[in-house]
mmCIF file of all heavy atoms in Angstrom:
data_model
loop_
_atom_site.group_PDB
_atom_site.id
_atom_site.type_symbol
_atom_site.label_atom_id
_atom_site.label_comp_id
_atom_site.label_asym_id
_atom_site.label_seq_id
_atom_site.Cartn_x
_atom_site.Cartn_y
_atom_site.Cartn_z
ATOM 1 N N LYS A 1 53.963 118.914 189.492
ATOM 2 C CA LYS A 1 53.801 119.849 190.672
ATOM 3 C C LYS A 1 52.412 120.514 190.638
ATOM 4 O O LYS A 1 51.972 121.018 191.731
ATOM 5 C CB LYS A 1 55.012 120.792 190.761
ATOM 6 C CG LYS A 1 56.337 120.059 191.059
ATOM 7 C CD LYS A 1 57.449 121.220 191.140
ATOM 8 C CE LYS A 1 58.696 120.588 191.559
ATOM 9 N NZ LYS A 1 59.225 119.642 190.676
ATOM 10 N N LYS A 2 51.810 120.594 189.568
ATOM 11 C CA LYS A 2 50.549 121.336 189.471
ATOM 12 C C LYS A 2 49.339 120.517 188.959
ATOM 13 O O LYS A 2 48.271 120.613 189.498
ATOM 14 C CB LYS A 2 50.724 122.594 188.569
ATOM 15 C CG LYS A 2 51.584 123.603 189.178
ATOM 16 C CD LYS A 2 51.548 124.855 188.303
ATOM 17 C CE LYS A 2 52.297 126.089 188.969
ATOM 18 N NZ LYS A 2 52.349 127.156 188.025
ATOM 19 N N ASN A 3 49.477 119.731 187.925
ATOM 20 C CA ASN A 3 48.323 119.247 187.163
ATOM 21 C C ASN A 3 47.810 117.770 187.622
ATOM 22 O O ASN A 3 47.008 117.255 186.822
ATOM 23 C CB ASN A 3 48.574 119.387 185.623
ATOM 24 C CG ASN A 3 49.411 118.347 185.021
ATOM 25 O OD1 ASN A 3 49.717 117.299 185.740
ATOM 26 N ND2 ASN A 3 49.847 118.555 183.770
ATOM 27 N N HIS A 4 48.389 117.205 188.603
ATOM 28 C CA HIS A 4 47.706 116.029 189.224
ATOM 29 C C HIS A 4 47.896 114.786 188.248
ATOM 30 O O HIS A 4 47.208 113.825 188.405
ATOM 31 C CB HIS A 4 46.178 116.154 189.496
ATOM 32 C CG HIS A 4 46.010 116.909 190.792
ATOM 33 N ND1 HIS A 4 44.952 116.600 191.735
ATOM 34 C CD2 HIS A 4 46.542 118.057 191.356
ATOM 35 C CE1 HIS A 4 44.962 117.481 192.688
ATOM 36 N NE2 HIS A 4 45.924 118.341 192.449
ATOM 37 N N HIS A 5 48.812 114.937 187.385
ATOM 38 C CA HIS A 5 49.030 113.848 186.377
ATOM 39 C C HIS A 5 50.676 113.442 186.615
ATOM 40 O O HIS A 5 51.387 114.300 186.787
ATOM 41 C CB HIS A 5 48.818 114.195 184.862
ATOM 42 C CG HIS A 5 47.359 114.411 184.566
ATOM 43 N ND1 HIS A 5 46.586 115.311 185.117
ATOM 44 C CD2 HIS A 5 46.644 113.634 183.652
ATOM 45 C CE1 HIS A 5 45.355 115.147 184.560
ATOM 46 N NE2 HIS A 5 45.388 114.146 183.672
ATOM 47 N N LEU A 6 50.837 112.159 186.283
ATOM 48 C CA LEU A 6 52.199 111.692 186.275
ATOM 49 C C LEU A 6 52.965 112.069 184.929
ATOM 50 O O LEU A 6 52.206 112.035 183.878
ATOM 51 C CB LEU A 6 52.298 110.194 186.457
ATOM 52 C CG LEU A 6 51.836 109.605 187.786
ATOM 53 C CD1 LEU A 6 51.862 108.123 187.732
ATOM 54 C CD2 LEU A 6 52.684 110.144 188.957
ATOM 55 N N HIS A 7 54.208 112.307 185.010
ATOM 56 C CA HIS A 7 55.075 112.412 183.806
ATOM 57 C C HIS A 7 55.373 110.922 183.447
ATOM 58 O O HIS A 7 55.886 110.226 184.311
ATOM 59 C CB HIS A 7 56.356 113.220 184.075
ATOM 60 C CG HIS A 7 55.989 114.682 184.458
ATOM 61 N ND1 HIS A 7 57.058 115.638 184.347
ATOM 62 C CD2 HIS A 7 54.954 115.222 184.921
ATOM 63 C CE1 HIS A 7 56.578 116.786 184.692
ATOM 64 N NE2 HIS A 7 55.331 116.620 185.007
ATOM 65 N N LYS A 8 55.016 110.510 182.258
ATOM 66 C CA LYS A 8 55.141 109.108 181.885
ATOM 67 C C LYS A 8 55.834 108.947 180.523
ATOM 68 O O LYS A 8 55.706 109.641 179.616
ATOM 69 C CB LYS A 8 53.707 108.532 181.853
ATOM 70 C CG LYS A 8 53.015 108.472 183.127
ATOM 71 C CD LYS A 8 51.495 108.098 182.992
ATOM 72 C CE LYS A 8 51.443 106.483 182.883
ATOM 73 N NZ LYS A 8 51.486 105.842 184.239
ATOM 74 N N PRO A 9 56.648 107.772 180.459
ATOM 75 C CA PRO A 9 57.237 107.409 179.191
ATOM 76 C C PRO A 9 56.104 106.739 178.411
ATOM 77 O O PRO A 9 55.095 106.257 178.910
ATOM 78 C CB PRO A 9 58.310 106.345 179.480
ATOM 79 C CG PRO A 9 57.736 105.631 180.752
ATOM 80 C CD PRO A 9 56.976 106.810 181.516
ATOM 81 N N VAL A 10 56.364 106.825 177.012
ATOM 82 C CA VAL A 10 55.299 106.013 176.101
ATOM 83 C C VAL A 10 55.953 104.991 175.376
ATOM 84 O O VAL A 10 57.155 105.108 174.892
ATOM 85 C CB VAL A 10 54.728 107.166 175.100
ATOM 86 C CG1 VAL A 10 53.636 106.445 174.301
ATOM 87 C CG2 VAL A 10 54.248 108.320 175.658
ATOM 88 N N PHE A 11 55.389 103.736 175.429
ATOM 89 C CA PHE A 11 55.960 102.605 174.677
ATOM 90 C C PHE A 11 54.860 102.119 173.641
ATOM 91 O O PHE A 11 53.685 102.049 174.055
ATOM 92 C CB PHE A 11 56.085 101.365 175.621
ATOM 93 C CG PHE A 11 57.253 101.838 176.715
ATOM 94 C CD1 PHE A 11 56.829 102.262 178.013
ATOM 95 C CD2 PHE A 11 58.524 101.477 176.370
ATOM 96 C CE1 PHE A 11 57.818 102.533 178.966
ATOM 97 C CE2 PHE A 11 59.452 101.867 177.502
ATOM 98 C CZ PHE A 11 58.987 102.321 178.742
ATOM 99 N N ILE A 12 55.338 101.696 172.492
ATOM 100 C CA ILE A 12 54.398 101.020 171.648
ATOM 101 C C ILE A 12 55.021 99.670 171.396
ATOM 102 O O ILE A 12 56.173 99.466 171.074
ATOM 103 C CB ILE A 12 54.325 101.809 170.169
ATOM 104 C CG1 ILE A 12 53.709 103.189 170.430
ATOM 105 C CG2 ILE A 12 53.600 100.967 169.163
ATOM 106 C CD1 ILE A 12 53.646 104.034 169.229
ATOM 107 N N GLY A 13 54.120 98.658 171.631
ATOM 108 C CA GLY A 13 54.476 97.271 171.542
ATOM 109 C C GLY A 13 53.781 96.488 170.445
ATOM 110 O O GLY A 13 52.573 96.808 170.217
ATOM 111 N N GLU A 14 54.524 95.604 169.908
ATOM 112 C CA GLU A 14 53.878 94.621 168.953
ATOM 113 C C GLU A 14 53.493 93.364 169.721
ATOM 114 O O GLU A 14 54.295 92.873 170.441
ATOM 115 C CB GLU A 14 54.942 94.246 167.960
ATOM 116 C CG GLU A 14 54.965 95.108 166.692
ATOM 117 C CD GLU A 14 55.934 94.512 165.622
ATOM 118 O OE1 GLU A 14 56.561 93.635 165.903
ATOM 119 O OE2 GLU A 14 55.920 95.185 164.552
ATOM 120 N N VAL A 15 52.290 92.768 169.386
ATOM 121 C CA VAL A 15 51.892 91.517 169.961
ATOM 122 C C VAL A 15 52.862 90.396 169.492
ATOM 123 O O VAL A 15 53.188 90.311 168.336
ATOM 124 C CB VAL A 15 50.439 91.149 169.564
ATOM 125 C CG1 VAL A 15 49.989 89.819 170.172
ATOM 126 C CG2 VAL A 15 49.475 92.301 170.114
ATOM 127 N N LYS A 16 53.338 89.612 170.477
ATOM 128 C CA LYS A 16 54.114 88.393 170.088
ATOM 129 C C LYS A 16 53.174 87.147 170.195
ATOM 130 O O LYS A 16 52.132 87.170 170.822
ATOM 131 C CB LYS A 16 55.329 88.271 171.058
ATOM 132 C CG LYS A 16 56.318 89.453 170.855
ATOM 133 C CD LYS A 16 57.561 89.178 171.564
ATOM 134 C CE LYS A 16 57.541 88.781 172.986
ATOM 135 N NZ LYS A 16 58.872 88.518 173.641
ATOM 136 N N ALA A 17 53.755 86.061 169.716
ATOM 137 C CA ALA A 17 52.938 84.820 169.654
ATOM 138 C C ALA A 17 52.528 84.331 171.019
ATOM 139 O O ALA A 17 51.495 83.591 171.229
ATOM 140 C CB ALA A 17 53.689 83.727 168.933
ATOM 141 N N ASP A 18 53.283 84.702 172.058
ATOM 142 C CA ASP A 18 53.025 84.333 173.376
ATOM 143 C C ASP A 18 52.128 85.269 174.211
ATOM 144 O O ASP A 18 51.869 85.044 175.440
ATOM 145 C CB ASP A 18 54.380 83.967 174.094
ATOM 146 C CG ASP A 18 55.113 85.248 174.383
ATOM 147 O OD1 ASP A 18 54.813 86.298 173.839
ATOM 148 O OD2 ASP A 18 56.236 85.268 175.055
ATOM 149 N N GLY A 19 51.604 86.259 173.579
ATOM 150 C CA GLY A 19 50.675 87.171 174.155
ATOM 151 C C GLY A 19 51.443 88.333 174.973
ATOM 152 O O GLY A 19 50.889 89.117 175.499
ATOM 153 N N GLN A 20 52.780 88.320 174.821
ATOM 154 C CA GLN A 20 53.484 89.427 175.357
ATOM 155 C C GLN A 20 53.802 90.519 174.284
ATOM 156 O O GLN A 20 53.293 90.240 173.105
ATOM 157 C CB GLN A 20 54.845 88.954 175.936
ATOM 158 C CG GLN A 20 54.730 88.143 177.217
ATOM 159 C CD GLN A 20 54.420 89.019 178.385
ATOM 160 O OE1 GLN A 20 54.858 90.166 178.576
ATOM 161 N NE2 GLN A 20 53.464 88.586 179.265
ATOM 162 N N PHE A 21 54.445 91.613 174.632
ATOM 163 C CA PHE A 21 54.730 92.632 173.619
ATOM 164 C C PHE A 21 56.216 92.889 173.507
ATOM 165 O O PHE A 21 56.986 92.945 174.347
ATOM 166 C CB PHE A 21 54.041 93.868 174.145
ATOM 167 C CG PHE A 21 52.455 93.899 174.068
ATOM 168 C CD1 PHE A 21 51.782 93.462 175.197
ATOM 169 C CD2 PHE A 21 51.800 94.395 173.024
ATOM 170 C CE1 PHE A 21 50.468 93.366 175.097
ATOM 171 C CE2 PHE A 21 50.319 94.345 172.953
ATOM 172 C CZ PHE A 21 49.691 93.783 174.008
ATOM 173 N N ASN A 22 56.531 93.137 172.150
ATOM 174 C CA ASN A 22 57.854 93.457 171.858
ATOM 175 C C ASN A 22 57.875 94.948 171.578
ATOM 176 O O ASN A 22 57.146 95.522 170.709
ATOM 177 C CB ASN A 22 58.361 92.783 170.741
ATOM 178 C CG ASN A 22 59.691 93.194 170.175
ATOM 179 O OD1 ASN A 22 60.634 93.385 170.946
ATOM 180 N ND2 ASN A 22 59.863 93.423 168.786
ATOM 181 N N VAL A 23 58.641 95.775 172.340
ATOM 182 C CA VAL A 23 58.688 97.269 172.220
ATOM 183 C C VAL A 23 59.319 97.677 170.903
ATOM 184 O O VAL A 23 60.439 97.370 170.691
ATOM 185 C CB VAL A 23 59.285 97.972 173.396
ATOM 186 C CG1 VAL A 23 59.441 99.433 173.191
ATOM 187 C CG2 VAL A 23 58.483 97.648 174.767
ATOM 188 N N VAL A 24 58.534 98.363 170.047
ATOM 189 C CA VAL A 24 59.132 98.833 168.729
ATOM 190 C C VAL A 24 59.316 100.323 168.696
ATOM 191 O O VAL A 24 59.968 100.742 167.822
ATOM 192 C CB VAL A 24 58.109 98.398 167.566
ATOM 193 C CG1 VAL A 24 58.014 96.927 167.452
ATOM 194 C CG2 VAL A 24 56.718 99.023 167.883
ATOM 195 N N TRP A 25 58.756 100.998 169.632
ATOM 196 C CA TRP A 25 59.055 102.461 169.630
ATOM 197 C C TRP A 25 58.857 102.938 171.150
ATOM 198 O O TRP A 25 57.949 102.433 171.836
ATOM 199 C CB TRP A 25 58.082 103.126 168.740
ATOM 200 C CG TRP A 25 58.230 104.623 168.652
ATOM 201 C CD1 TRP A 25 59.016 105.433 167.862
ATOM 202 C CD2 TRP A 25 57.515 105.689 169.530
ATOM 203 N NE1 TRP A 25 58.946 106.768 168.051
ATOM 204 C CE2 TRP A 25 58.095 106.933 169.079
ATOM 205 C CE3 TRP A 25 56.613 105.627 170.541
ATOM 206 C CZ2 TRP A 25 57.640 108.097 169.654
ATOM 207 C CZ3 TRP A 25 56.220 106.770 171.205
ATOM 208 C CH2 TRP A 25 56.777 108.049 170.826
ATOM 209 N N LYS A 26 59.587 104.032 171.564
ATOM 210 C CA LYS A 26 59.411 104.503 172.862
ATOM 211 C C LYS A 26 60.007 105.967 172.886
ATOM 212 O O LYS A 26 60.857 106.267 172.114
ATOM 213 C CB LYS A 26 60.148 103.734 173.952
ATOM 214 C CG LYS A 26 61.625 103.583 173.793
ATOM 215 C CD LYS A 26 62.112 102.685 174.946
ATOM 216 C CE LYS A 26 63.750 102.603 174.806
ATOM 217 N NZ LYS A 26 64.318 101.708 175.783
ATOM 218 N N THR A 27 59.488 106.729 173.844
ATOM 219 C CA THR A 27 60.052 108.127 174.106
ATOM 220 C C THR A 27 61.290 107.888 174.829
ATOM 221 O O THR A 27 61.559 106.959 175.531
ATOM 222 C CB THR A 27 59.082 108.951 174.872
ATOM 223 O OG1 THR A 27 58.635 108.281 176.086
ATOM 224 C CG2 THR A 27 57.806 109.291 174.020
ATOM 225 N N PRO A 28 62.222 108.912 174.581
ATOM 226 C CA PRO A 28 63.511 108.779 175.419
ATOM 227 C C PRO A 28 63.348 108.838 176.891
ATOM 228 O O PRO A 28 64.190 108.342 177.602
ATOM 229 C CB PRO A 28 64.310 110.090 174.964
ATOM 230 C CG PRO A 28 63.531 110.574 173.669
ATOM 231 C CD PRO A 28 62.221 110.097 173.815
ATOM 232 N N GLY A 29 62.220 109.386 177.439
ATOM 233 C CA GLY A 29 62.054 109.475 178.831
ATOM 234 C C GLY A 29 60.600 109.867 179.093
ATOM 235 O O GLY A 29 59.722 110.038 178.157
ATOM 236 N N PRO A 30 60.173 110.155 180.380
ATOM 237 C CA PRO A 30 58.841 110.610 180.641
ATOM 238 C C PRO A 30 58.469 111.865 180.005
ATOM 239 O O PRO A 30 59.262 112.818 179.947
ATOM 240 C CB PRO A 30 58.858 110.552 182.257
ATOM 241 C CG PRO A 30 59.972 109.836 182.562
ATOM 242 C CD PRO A 30 60.996 110.059 181.614
ATOM 243 N N ILE A 31 57.119 112.060 179.633
ATOM 244 C CA ILE A 31 56.696 113.216 179.126
ATOM 245 C C ILE A 31 55.513 113.792 179.965
ATOM 246 O O ILE A 31 54.734 113.032 180.502
ATOM 247 C CB ILE A 31 56.267 113.122 177.569
ATOM 248 C CG1 ILE A 31 55.186 112.146 177.272
ATOM 249 C CG2 ILE A 31 57.580 112.840 176.699
ATOM 250 C CD1 ILE A 31 54.706 112.142 175.908
ATOM 251 N N LYS A 32 55.409 115.099 179.920
ATOM 252 C CA LYS A 32 54.379 115.756 180.775
ATOM 253 C C LYS A 32 53.052 115.566 180.109
ATOM 254 O O LYS A 32 52.896 115.738 178.961
ATOM 255 C CB LYS A 32 54.756 117.186 181.055
ATOM 256 C CG LYS A 32 53.795 117.944 181.948
ATOM 257 C CD LYS A 32 54.144 119.461 182.016
ATOM 258 C CE LYS A 32 53.050 120.205 182.687
ATOM 259 N NZ LYS A 32 53.435 121.557 183.120
ATOM 260 N N ALA A 33 52.036 115.289 181.043
ATOM 261 C CA ALA A 33 50.652 115.174 180.546
ATOM 262 C C ALA A 33 50.053 116.496 180.171
ATOM 263 O O ALA A 33 50.382 117.495 180.712
ATOM 264 C CB ALA A 33 49.712 114.559 181.526
ATOM 265 N N GLN A 34 49.272 116.477 179.001
ATOM 266 C CA GLN A 34 48.408 117.654 178.747
ATOM 267 C C GLN A 34 46.945 117.344 178.960
ATOM 268 O O GLN A 34 46.278 116.739 178.134
ATOM 269 C CB GLN A 34 48.552 118.012 177.226
ATOM 270 C CG GLN A 34 49.918 118.519 176.889
ATOM 271 C CD GLN A 34 49.946 118.771 175.383
ATOM 272 O OE1 GLN A 34 49.651 117.998 174.633
ATOM 273 N NE2 GLN A 34 50.716 119.831 174.995
ATOM 274 N N PRO A 35 46.368 117.644 180.124
ATOM 275 C CA PRO A 35 44.949 117.176 180.461
ATOM 276 C C PRO A 35 43.982 117.955 179.472
ATOM 277 O O PRO A 35 42.960 117.430 178.980
ATOM 278 C CB PRO A 35 44.739 117.739 181.871
ATOM 279 C CG PRO A 35 46.031 117.980 182.404
ATOM 280 C CD PRO A 35 47.103 118.225 181.340
ATOM 281 N N TRP A 36 44.291 119.233 179.124
ATOM 282 C CA TRP A 36 43.533 119.877 178.060
ATOM 283 C C TRP A 36 44.196 119.782 176.688
ATOM 284 O O TRP A 36 45.264 120.407 176.520
ATOM 285 C CB TRP A 36 43.312 121.362 178.429
ATOM 286 C CG TRP A 36 42.834 121.554 179.913
ATOM 287 C CD1 TRP A 36 43.444 122.030 180.994
ATOM 288 C CD2 TRP A 36 41.475 121.229 180.301
ATOM 289 N NE1 TRP A 36 42.716 122.036 182.087
ATOM 290 C CE2 TRP A 36 41.421 121.497 181.720
ATOM 291 C CE3 TRP A 36 40.333 120.618 179.787
ATOM 292 C CZ2 TRP A 36 40.231 121.343 182.519
ATOM 293 C CZ3 TRP A 36 39.155 120.437 180.440
ATOM 294 C CH2 TRP A 36 39.156 120.790 181.907
ATOM 295 N N SER A 37 43.604 119.076 175.794
ATOM 296 C CA SER A 37 44.289 118.861 174.488
ATOM 297 C C SER A 37 44.344 120.124 173.643
ATOM 298 O O SER A 37 43.365 120.850 173.540
ATOM 299 C CB SER A 37 43.472 117.849 173.662
ATOM 300 O OG SER A 37 44.071 117.781 172.378
ATOM 301 N N PRO A 38 45.539 120.369 173.109
ATOM 302 C CA PRO A 38 45.742 121.516 172.339
ATOM 303 C C PRO A 38 44.925 121.482 170.979
ATOM 304 O O PRO A 38 44.885 122.412 170.195
ATOM 305 C CB PRO A 38 47.242 121.641 172.028
ATOM 306 C CG PRO A 38 47.716 120.259 172.309
ATOM 307 C CD PRO A 38 46.888 119.644 173.240
ATOM 308 N N TYR A 39 44.417 120.232 170.630
ATOM 309 C CA TYR A 39 43.726 120.094 169.371
ATOM 310 C C TYR A 39 42.279 120.393 169.587
ATOM 311 O O TYR A 39 41.480 120.345 168.557
ATOM 312 C CB TYR A 39 43.877 118.639 168.764
ATOM 313 C CG TYR A 39 45.368 118.356 168.503
ATOM 314 C CD1 TYR A 39 46.076 117.669 169.431
ATOM 315 C CD2 TYR A 39 45.975 118.968 167.352
ATOM 316 C CE1 TYR A 39 47.495 117.420 169.202
ATOM 317 C CE2 TYR A 39 47.317 118.708 167.141
ATOM 318 C CZ TYR A 39 48.066 118.016 167.931
ATOM 319 O OH TYR A 39 49.478 117.774 167.751
ATOM 320 N N ILE A 40 41.787 120.766 170.808
ATOM 321 C CA ILE A 40 40.422 121.144 171.002
ATOM 322 C C ILE A 40 40.496 122.664 171.081
ATOM 323 O O ILE A 40 40.949 123.190 172.179
ATOM 324 C CB ILE A 40 39.824 120.504 172.238
ATOM 325 C CG1 ILE A 40 39.899 118.998 172.122
ATOM 326 C CG2 ILE A 40 38.439 120.886 172.479
ATOM 327 C CD1 ILE A 40 38.972 118.341 171.205
ATOM 328 N N PRO A 41 39.899 123.416 170.200
ATOM 329 C CA PRO A 41 40.046 124.939 170.154
ATOM 330 C C PRO A 41 39.484 125.577 171.470
ATOM 331 O O PRO A 41 40.095 126.522 171.963
ATOM 332 C CB PRO A 41 39.160 125.401 169.044
ATOM 333 C CG PRO A 41 39.113 124.138 168.108
ATOM 334 C CD PRO A 41 39.234 123.036 169.036
ATOM 335 N N GLU A 42 38.439 125.035 172.139
ATOM 336 C CA GLU A 42 37.884 125.671 173.206
ATOM 337 C C GLU A 42 38.846 125.634 174.535
ATOM 338 O O GLU A 42 38.566 126.209 175.578
ATOM 339 C CB GLU A 42 36.595 124.868 173.655
ATOM 340 C CG GLU A 42 35.457 124.765 172.665
ATOM 341 C CD GLU A 42 35.673 123.586 171.732
ATOM 342 O OE1 GLU A 42 35.131 122.595 172.051
ATOM 343 O OE2 GLU A 42 36.312 123.770 170.635
ATOM 344 N N ASN A 43 39.945 124.723 174.313
ATOM 345 C CA ASN A 43 40.766 124.579 175.490
ATOM 346 C C ASN A 43 41.898 125.655 175.623
ATOM 347 O O ASN A 43 42.538 125.837 176.636
ATOM 348 C CB ASN A 43 41.630 123.307 175.395
ATOM 349 C CG ASN A 43 40.635 122.066 175.725
ATOM 350 O OD1 ASN A 43 39.651 122.239 176.303
ATOM 351 N ND2 ASN A 43 41.139 120.914 175.353
#
């Protein structure tokens, strides 16, 4: 509603022999974006 970013799920996939990906980890649902990283002190 404010920060111009989509709430998105995250998937980690392993490369398969056919060039597709097998999902090995995912978030339970979409997560809100942090445009300003909390790991940058100036933010």
Side-chain angles (χ1 to χ4, degrees):
K1 290 181 174 65
K2 289 185 176 178
N3 76 13
H4 285 220
H5 287 67
L6 292 177
H7 296 202
K8 295 173 80 83
V10 186
F11 298 94
I12 295 173
E14 275 184 351
V15 178
K16 298 196 302 183
D18 63 357
Q20 286 291 320
F21 290 88
N22 176 43
V23 175
V24 293
W25 182 89
K26 62 182 180 180
T27 53
I31 58 174
K32 181 180 171 172
Q34 292 177 321
W36 305 111
S37 174
Y39 298 101
I40 304 287
E42 304 90 88
N43 287 341

